[in-house]
Amino acid sequence: MREADMATALLSAMIANTPLRSSSAGQALNDVVRARSRPSEGLARQLEEACRAEEPLPVLMELANDLARCAAGDATWKAALETWLQRHQRQAQETNNRIDGSAHLHGPTLQVGSIHGGVHFHQTDRLASRPARLVPRQLKPGPAHFTDRDAELRALHRIADSRPQRGGPALAVLCGPGGIGKTALALHWLHQVADRYPDGQLYADLASDPAGDPALTGLILGRFLRAMGVAGEQIPAEAEEAAGLFRSVTAHRRIAILMDNAVSAAQVRALLPSSPSSTVVVTTRWRLGGLAMDGAEFISLTPLHQRAGRELLTRTVGEHRVSAEADAVAGLVGLCAGLPIALSIAGARLVMRPEWPIARVVRELADEQRRLKALSVEEVTVLSVFDVSYDGLPSDAARAYRWLGLHPGPEFTLEAAAAAIELPVEDTAALAEGLVDASVLEASGSDRYRFHDLVRLHARQRAEAQDSSQTRRDVIRRLLDFYLSFAMAADRVVTPLDWHLSPAHEPHEGAPAFATGREALEALEYELPNLMAMMRVGYECGFDALVWQLAEAMWSLFLQRKHFPDWMAAYRLGIDATIRCADHAARSRMHHHLGFAFHNLGRAEEALEQGVASLAAAHEAGHELAEAEALGLVGMAYRSQRLFDEAIDAQRRVVALDHAAGRVRGEAIGRRRLGQALCSAGRINEAIGQFIQGRDLAESLSDNTVKAMTMVWLADALTRADRPSEAAAIARGAWSILAESGSSQYRAQVLMVWGEAAEKVKDLATARDLLTKSRALFLEAGAPSLERVNRTLDRMAAQRGEYPDQASP
């Protein structure tokens, strides 16, 4: 607007809003003048005189001219006055004054005395003759196949509707790794709500340039200001002044801004408008926590779940193809790990190849080495998306990213990460949080982290490209050492008196200390996926001794918590490792532990086969302790096959070996197993004697678990000997020890035996309660057969009319 036009417009608006002292327009103009004028300019004084004067016109004309002159030489003044005019000139244009007679004046008027005759004055509004103000619409088109994200869309609506108390714009920050769909979500929502922002929508890509430098704030502000109608020559060269002008221009406008790929909080902060009726959406791979001070609310995006991933593929390739290959579609969503960009690329490839079955793409992606390269179409690749994130990492963070990507399990602790990258835990924590801030690593709990599946592949490929084979092996070796130390520490707490073949292993720095056996069991169980993954990758790398030692350290977990598939897989791998490193004693242990799984599953022939193999390896090694252990398994397998004489003979040999060697704990366990074999053979009184000796031996060692389990089978024998009251009392004592053991199997067995004793004393209510709880615990433990407990419950059900229920003690 030219200076003369500005002066005319200002005068017209001020006249229309007189008296200025009491009008909202006058107050707003006073705020503008006092905020921007210097005392020497006298503008505030002129406005004050205009508000007090009985004939304000001369003062208003002078003020209008002076203000227009300020606007002509200062873009900030100009923006502020234009904003004031936009709000208050409308009132002037709506003014319609009527003078008696035939004279009609339209628009702002000034009475200068008597007017006679048919004189008509019509004001020409020079501003109204200008072209309509430009309303920027800079957003890219929304995504064609947007899917899901209902919760995130609701969050964006909520943020936009809740005006910040500090008076600035609503600020939503969408965080997440590359390819997760942050920009797609922002565009989809902003197009949905476009009509709520009549003054326009602005867009800026804040990503770093090829040289790694963030986008220049001054350049972006210049683009924003030009889009808002500010002439290029009026835009300050300094970014700080341009930011001030931008805030002035946007002060009373309703605009939406998408700041894509933001790198820092300062970068965003410099581009924020001042209008509280505006909304800014920021997408970033970084956690820009500093924006919380600007009232930002953060929305973290996660991968699409299976249903949403299927819906995205359906919208891309069509319902017919998706329905025809439902299993392949589920596999494709899984291989893409719910990453929208990966699913979109896979869908685009299928659209371009309508003759391809979906299963073909699934087969291509099944190969981890090819997966990232296969997820590409034209210039769009998942690999390049991850490369952008990686290239922005500092060198120490990049190294941590590569080495942590070699961790084979689903997640890892801070201590495991410290072992992998050879740094103190405190330094590792800083690097891990930096990777989380960069959205290449996810925090999955207190001091626990995980990679997105495809990001892990990228990290491994970077390690293969940049680190030597020996460096990568060293990382795996350090991780194996860490997990072996962890597992042995837990195992010692669960079964402190059990024997081990593994050489003494010093606790790793930061290895946890467990207060109870149950706590240690739960820690082992939580880490089981990592332990199994480490065993597999350790075997692939040829670390055979560490592999079988790790399997040995997991024995107490499998014995008490079962996990049969992992149990059998661990010791099969352990057997292979001991064969490769020619350790016969260790092979005996691995065969024994595998055979014990078969025994628990009721697969007696396979248990016997493993027991015989364990015994042979023990003989070859000349290891008497391993021989006694193997004989115990052979005896149990014979008992399961109802070969009672053979079972009794094997267990007597075990007791003799352990007694002669002074192995008190082994003898206690052997006498319990001998008692079980005698009991199965119907030799109840002999069995009771063995159980009592075994219980007393265990008590002398303060081995509560062995003592309690011996008491369980002593109670069982006493019930069979028609001494149910004694049996119930002993079972109750065993329960007081095992109730907090952490083993569902042990607790199930004691409740079963106690319930059978209660049945014998005709306490059916107690018996039913105990046996029902026992059955639930057997199910929890994955017991292969519930025949005994079900048979007892069925028998009692038939007796309900015979004996009245009694209250539980």
Side-chain angles (χ1 to χ4, degrees), residues 204-257:
D205 187 347
L206 307 185
S208 300
D209 62 22
D213 297 321
L216 292 176
T217 302
L219 291 176
I220 294 172
L221 284 167
R223 294 170 193 160
F224 280 179
L225 288 166
R226 282 190 292 273
M228 300 296 291
V230 178
E233 63 272 13
Q234 296 293 328
I235 298 174
E238 294 296 327
E240 187 174 347
E241 293 183 22
L245 176 58
F246 178 64
R247 288 191 291 271
S248 298
V249 170
T250 58
H252 301 292
R253 298 191 186 184
R254 288 182 65 91
I255 59 172
I257 304 176

Side-chain angles (χ1 to χ4, degrees), residues 275-320:
S275 167
S277 57
S278 295
T279 295
V280 175
V281 180
V282 178
T283 73
T284 179
R285 302 181 189 206
W286 301 84
R287 287 199 309 185
L288 306 182
L291 289 177
M293 295 184 292
D294 298 276
E297 294 195 45
F298 298 84
I299 302 173
S300 296
L301 271 64
T302 56
L304 299 175
H305 49 74
Q306 180 70 224
R307 180 188 57 78
R310 184 186 188 280
E311 182 182 344
L312 179 55
L313 286 172
T314 299
R315 294 185 178 186
T316 306
V317 306
E319 177 66 39
H320 176 71

Side-chain angles (χ1 to χ4, degrees), residues 346-358:
R349 292 187 65 200
L350 287 166
V351 168
M352 292 188 295
R353 297 290 189 274
E355 72 280 5
W356 281 8
I358 296 174

Side-chain angles (χ1 to χ4, degrees), residues 374-458:
L375 287 169
S376 63
V377 57
E378 296 182 357
E379 75 282 0
V380 182
T381 69
V382 170
L383 195 60
S384 64
V385 169
F386 294 157
D387 282 344
V388 169
S389 295
Y390 177 78
D391 292 341
L393 296 174
S395 60
D396 55 347
R399 183 179 61 252
Y401 173 77
R402 298 193 306 272
W403 291 3
L404 293 177
L406 297 173
H407 185 285
E411 62 178 32
F412 48 84
T413 62
L414 194 57
E415 291 75 18
I421 63 178
E422 286 191 295
L423 285 176
V425 171
E426 295 77 10
D427 296 341
T428 303
L431 282 175
E433 287 303 309
L435 294 175
V436 171
D437 288 344
S439 295
V440 295
L441 189 66
E442 302 172 27
S444 58
S446 177
D447 291 336
R448 296 187 74 89
Y449 301 90
R450 65 175 175 230
F451 282 105
H452 182 278
D453 289 351
L454 295 181
V455 176
R456 182 187 292 108
L457 286 180
H458 180 263

Side-chain angles (χ1 to χ4, degrees), residues 45 202 511 668 721:
R45 177 185 50 76
L202 299 172

Side-chain angles (χ1 to χ4, degrees), residues 485-491 493 511-517 519-524:
S485 178
F486 161 81
M488 290 186 70
D491 185 60
V493 176
F514 303 102
T516 64
E519 180 186 334
L521 270 177
E522 288 172 353
L524 278 169

Side-chain angles (χ1 to χ4, degrees), residues 463-754:
E464 290 168 2
Q466 295 181 237
D467 297 307
S468 69
S469 173
Q470 186 58 49
T471 296
R472 300 197 302 274
R473 282 175 56 83
D474 289 344
V475 173
I476 297 301
R477 173 64 188 251
R478 291 194 296 271
L479 284 168
L480 263 173
D481 281 336
F482 169 80
Y483 280 108
L484 177 56
S485 178
F486 161 81
M488 290 186 70
D491 185 60
R492 288 191 192 98
V493 176
V494 179
T495 52
L497 300 180
D498 201 1
W499 68 281
H500 295 85
L501 272 172
S502 174
H505 201 86
E506 291 299 321
H508 199 281
E509 180 185 356
F514 303 102
T516 64
R518 184 166 192 164
E519 180 186 334
L521 270 177
E522 288 172 353
L524 278 169
E525 190 169 46
Y526 196 87
E527 294 291 347
L528 180 57
N530 286 326
L531 296 172
M532 293 301 299
M534 284 309 312
M535 280 192 67
R536 286 188 286 268
V537 76
Y539 181 78
E540 291 169 5
C541 291
F543 298 126
D544 297 319
L546 293 176
V547 168
W548 74 252
Q549 289 177 63
L550 183 55
E552 183 186 49
M554 295 160 67
W555 171 236
S556 59
L557 169 65
F558 292 132
L559 188 63
Q560 297 201 30
R561 294 288 177 94
K562 308 311 177 187
H563 297 286
F564 288 111
D566 286 332
W567 183 345
M568 291 186 287
Y571 293 111
R572 282 180 172 137
L573 199 60
I575 289 168
D576 291 342
T578 57
I579 291 172
R580 284 203 316 202
C581 66
D583 191 324
H584 302 301
R587 180 156 59 92
S588 176
R589 280 227 104 177
M590 299 296 101
H591 279 298
H592 170 270
H593 290 356
L594 176 58
F596 218 91
F598 289 128
H599 172 72
N600 273 252
L601 290 167
R603 294 158 62 173
E605 290 185 7
E606 292 163 285
L608 182 58
E609 179 184 344
Q610 293 298 322
V612 170
S614 176
L615 190 59
H619 281 312
E620 195 169 357
H623 200 292
E624 187 185 88
L625 189 52
E627 180 183 345
E629 183 177 69
L631 268 174
L633 174 60
V634 169
M636 289 189 293
Y638 280 143
R639 177 166 62 88
S640 297
Q641 293 180 318
R642 304 187 66 78
L643 299 171
F644 300 130
D645 290 341
E646 291 86 343
I648 292 168
D649 179 62
Q651 299 299 359
R652 286 194 190 280
R653 290 168 61 193
V654 171
V655 171
L657 284 170
D658 284 327
H659 181 75
R663 294 188 291 266
V664 178
R665 183 175 185 272
E667 183 183 347
I669 294 172
R671 290 190 181 279
R672 184 183 77 205
R673 291 173 179 168
L674 176 57
Q676 288 175 296
L678 289 165
C679 201
S680 297
R683 298 158 63 174
I684 305 300
N685 289 331
E686 290 179 73
I688 290 172
Q690 293 296 330
F691 287 134
I692 291 173
Q693 289 184 67
R695 177 196 62 187
D696 293 346
L697 286 169
E699 190 166 21
S700 72
L701 292 174
S702 300
D703 192 323
N704 285 333
T705 301
V706 173
K707 172 188 172 183
M709 289 309 299
T710 307
M711 290 169 66
V712 169
W713 299 115
L714 172 59
D716 180 54
L718 289 169
T719 300
R720 293 168 186 257
D722 203 24
R723 296 159 63 180
S725 296
E726 294 176 69
I730 290 174
R732 185 182 296 110
W735 174 254
S736 68
I737 298 172
L738 294 171
E740 298 300 322
S741 70
S743 171
S744 299
Q745 178 93 354
Y746 292 170
R747 289 181 289 156
Q749 288 172 333
V750 67
L751 290 176
M752 177 185 70
V753 170
W754 187 4

